[in-house]
Amino acid sequence: MICSKEVTTKLKVKNICGTHMLTRNDGKLLHNVILTHWETSKSIEIDFANATIASVSFLDEAIGQLIIQFPRKDIASKLKLVRISQFDKKLLNDIAATRFRQIT
């Protein structure tokens, strides 16, 4: 992990969660690491390493909860998801839409 206001923080899901990418508690591990770097990083890159997670609970806890905590523009400009499977991208888009409706 690299952390600086000038540099992107790069987080690898597998390094943080290992093979535990299913439950809300698993997602909370990733969420907490993201929060640790939120204020001090220009951007946060989350690398899913092309793994298919396929867990609404994990993705909602890890990423979806950020939508409740931070403005949409901050999330869009700061958070970068790389090597995320198409299935998980679609699932995360559904989660995000639900969370955005919830806060408006």
Side-chain angles (χ1 to χ4, degrees):
M1 286 182 267
I2 301 168
C3 188
S4 167
K5 287 187 177 185
E6 303 301 322
V7 178
T8 298
T9 297
K10 297 183 179 190
L11 305 175
K12 293 186 177 187
V13 175
K14 189 172 183 177
N15 290 352
I16 295 166
C17 300
T19 59
H20 305 282
M21 296 179 274
L22 186 64
T23 68
R24 285 200 172 273
N25 284 337
D26 299 336
K28 190 135 187 94
L29 289 173
L30 178 56
H31 182 82
N32 287 338
V33 173
I34 294 168
L35 290 181
T36 299
H37 297 286
W38 192 265
E39 295 299 323
T40 57
S41 298
K42 180 179 177 185
S43 66
I44 300 171
E45 181 179 293
I46 302 172
D47 185 350
F48 287 85
N50 295 318
T52 299
I53 295 170
S55 169
V56 172
S57 296
F58 178 87
L59 292 171
D60 182 51
E61 194 64 41
I63 309 295
Q65 294 299 312
L66 296 171
I67 295 167
I68 296 169
Q69 295 174 281
F70 299 104
R72 186 179 199 160
K73 65 180 178 73
D74 292 351
I75 294 168
S77 67
K78 186 172 283 215
L79 202 61
K80 310 294 180 220
L81 306 179
V82 297
R83 298 194 307 159
I84 184 169
S85 74
Q86 288 296 355
F87 184 86
D88 285 341
K89 184 184 277 188
K90 183 179 179 337
L91 193 57
L92 197 50
N93 283 337
D94 291 343
I95 291 166
T98 300
R99 289 295 178 194
F100 284 127
R101 279 194 306 271
Q102 184 180 32
I103 61 172
T104 56

